[in-house]
Amino acid sequence: MINRVVLALVFFIVLLASLAEIIFKGFSLKTILLLIATIIVIAFLWMSPKKRD
């Protein structure tokens, strides 16, 4: 449960930082690629099966 809260918080922070960079510094391919990579990693971690021993 706490893992998903942390992932959502990280996603929100990265999204805000990316939007701010696009707004104030202009469109950059690097920013878009980092945002896409972050979305992929967060989606993978969000949907990964839980390890239960």
Side-chain angles (χ1 to χ4, degrees):
M1 175 69 184
I2 191 73
N3 295 342
R4 290 191 176 191
V5 172
V6 171
L7 285 174
L9 184 62
V10 168
F11 175 71
F12 183 69
I13 291 170
V14 170
L15 182 66
L16 284 180
S18 298
L19 287 175
E21 190 168 333
I22 289 171
I23 290 170
F24 294 113
K25 292 188 177 181
F27 181 79
S28 172
L29 184 60
K30 180 183 107 177
T31 304
I32 299 300
L33 290 177
L34 286 173
L35 181 61
I36 292 171
T38 304
I39 290 171
I40 291 170
V41 169
I42 288 177
F44 174 74
L45 291 173
W46 189 279
M47 296 178 191
S48 65
K50 307 249 185 279
K51 291 183 180 178
R52 296 185 183 171
D53 295 334

